[in-house]
Amino acid sequence: MAPTSKRHRESSKEDILEATVVKAQKLVEHEGRPRTRDYDDMTQEFMAAVIGEYRARLCAEAPMPDHVAETSLLDASWVQACKATGVNLYRSPQLAKIVTSRGSQVRGQLKTKLRPLVEAIFGFHSSQSKSAIKKNRSLAEGPKDGSNFAFKHMSADENERRGFLKAPLIQKIINTMWFANKHDDGIRFHKYFMPIPYPALALVLTAIECCIDEWSTGTRTDIPFTIQEYRTTYDSHPKCLQAFAEAMKTYDVLPSICRRLYEVGRIHSGAAPLTAPTEVTVSAQIIATAIKEHEEGSTTEDESD
């Protein structure tokens, strides 16, 4: 019988791994939502990998997904976690729910981090006085007019606005949300965030609108940042970004902005700059010296004898 090739052996191992489906062991039973910590250590490690992957993909590809997109994100994240951990974990409905619930968690975290920034930058002030309420209402109207809030220099006059998508608030929330430290998602999953993807930028713009909307009555009222409430608003932003990119493609404006958002975020995190792997080379001088030594019979081994 002909010997089994190395390639065939490797393929067989992959087939075995694919066939060996492991089931999670639930150690704690309780009423309420399923939790990762209810399971065995192996499952917890796997779930940490798949949740991290899912959060990153969600922000980069479809921050407000419908059911089809959500399932696609889950599929891709689960496959990546299998590769990363070497474990082919059975995807039960309970485990799938733990992962997909991170979508609403991400949106909630973004709004929570953004709310105090919006209040400070636009000057909203909590008060029961009629003058303060009236002022808050007025403050809430201006920024949303023609995405005024996205400009570095806002103005009631559209012709006077400058620096689209360069508002300091955008960089601040990107730093806070994905680049808080060198272990944050923007660093760990830089393949998804470098440069900042348009869907993530669209999510930030939508969240800013949500935080401004909370002041529309003059008194801050909590508005859930959910797909049901803001899907339509979100959908308008990628279209706007794409139109802007297309109109300015000759000057590479939007890609440059997104690269800059990532670069500043990475600096803010304290992570080392990304550098290309150092290529080991042999210089012409080294080669020439080696040839000369060989011709003269003066090798390293001869000299050490």
Side-chain angles (χ1 to χ4, degrees):
M1 181 181 293
T4 304
S5 68
K6 181 180 178 181
R7 183 174 180 180
H8 178 71
R9 289 198 303 271
E10 290 176 349
S11 178
S12 297
K13 289 179 181 179
E14 292 175 0
D15 292 341
I16 291 172
L17 177 61
E18 185 175 348
T20 307
V21 178
V22 180
K23 288 191 175 183
Q25 300 298 313
K26 194 170 185 180
L27 306 178
V28 179
E29 294 291 344
H30 65 89
E31 295 182 0
R33 296 180 179 180
R35 305 171 304 188
T36 300
R37 64 176 180 269
D38 296 338
Y39 293 86
D40 61 280
D41 291 344
M42 180 201 69
T43 301
Q44 290 188 42
E45 180 182 351
F46 181 93
M47 291 299 287
V50 72
I51 287 171
E53 184 76 17
Y54 183 85
R55 283 175 56 101
R57 284 180 177 270
L58 177 88
C59 295
E61 299 173 12
M64 289 196 167
D66 56 20
H67 178 69
V68 173
E70 183 180 73
T71 301
S72 178
L73 289 170
L74 178 60
D75 290 344
S77 301
W78 204 271
V79 168
Q80 186 60 37
C82 287
K83 293 178 180 177
T85 63
V87 175
N88 191 5
L89 188 69
Y90 171 68
R91 195 170 86 192
S92 68
Q94 292 80 11
L95 294 179
K97 184 63 176 177
I98 290 175
V99 178
T100 56
S101 67
R102 291 312 193 271
S104 59
Q105 185 183 78
V106 165
R107 292 183 290 273
Q109 287 175 345
L110 177 61
K111 182 191 167 187
T112 298
K113 294 174 186 292
L114 185 56
R115 179 184 280 163
L117 295 176
V118 167
E119 292 182 11
I121 288 175
F122 294 110
F124 294 117
H125 178 65
S126 293
S127 174
Q128 293 302 314
S129 72
K130 292 182 178 179
S131 60
I133 292 173
K134 182 179 180 180
K135 182 179 179 181
N136 286 334
R137 279 202 303 265
S138 178
L139 288 172
E141 292 173 0
K144 289 191 62 177
D145 177 33
S147 295
N148 198 7
F149 64 85
F151 287 82
K152 184 175 182 178
H153 300 291
M154 296 191 304
S155 174
D157 184 348
E158 188 174 3
N159 295 322
E160 296 297 322
R161 296 169 190 169
R162 297 291 184 272
F164 183 51
L165 300 176
K166 295 181 180 180
L169 176 59
I170 295 174
Q171 185 71 68
K172 284 179 181 293
I173 189 55
I174 285 176
N175 291 352
T176 305
M177 183 65 186
W178 294 296
F179 297 92
N181 56 63
K182 60 185 178 181
H183 304 294
D184 213 345
D185 288 353
I187 304 302
R188 291 174 56 217
F189 299 99
H190 62 82
K191 64 181 179 180
Y192 297 127
F193 288 95
M194 185 180 72
I196 296 299
Y198 295 173
L201 181 54
L203 180 66
V204 166
L205 298 175
T206 308
I208 293 173
E209 289 205 51
C210 178
C211 290
I212 293 173
D213 287 342
E214 291 190 325
W215 290 93
S216 61
T217 63
T219 303
R220 190 180 69 77
T221 304
D222 184 60
I223 298 177
F225 187 43
T226 61
I227 292 176
Q228 291 76 15
E229 292 285 341
Y230 279 90
R231 177 63 181 274
T232 301
T233 303
Y234 169 79
D235 285 344
S236 69
H237 283 295
K239 294 175 183 177
C240 174
L241 293 175
Q242 199 59 53
F244 180 68
E246 183 64 26
M248 304 295 289
K249 65 180 180 180
T250 302
Y251 307 99
D252 197 41
V253 174
L254 187 54
S256 294
I257 290 173
C258 291
R259 286 193 296 269
R260 177 67 177 168
L261 289 171
Y262 176 83
E263 291 164 2
V264 173
R266 189 173 186 90
I267 291 170
H268 180 268
S269 74
L274 281 176
T275 56
T278 303
E279 184 179 353
V280 179
T281 60
V282 179
S283 68
Q285 182 59 47
I286 292 175
I287 294 173
T289 302
I291 292 174
K292 184 177 180 181
E293 288 177 353
H294 180 74
E295 290 175 342
E296 294 175 350
S298 177
T299 63
T300 304
E301 286 186 350
D302 293 337
E303 291 175 351
S304 63
D305 288 339

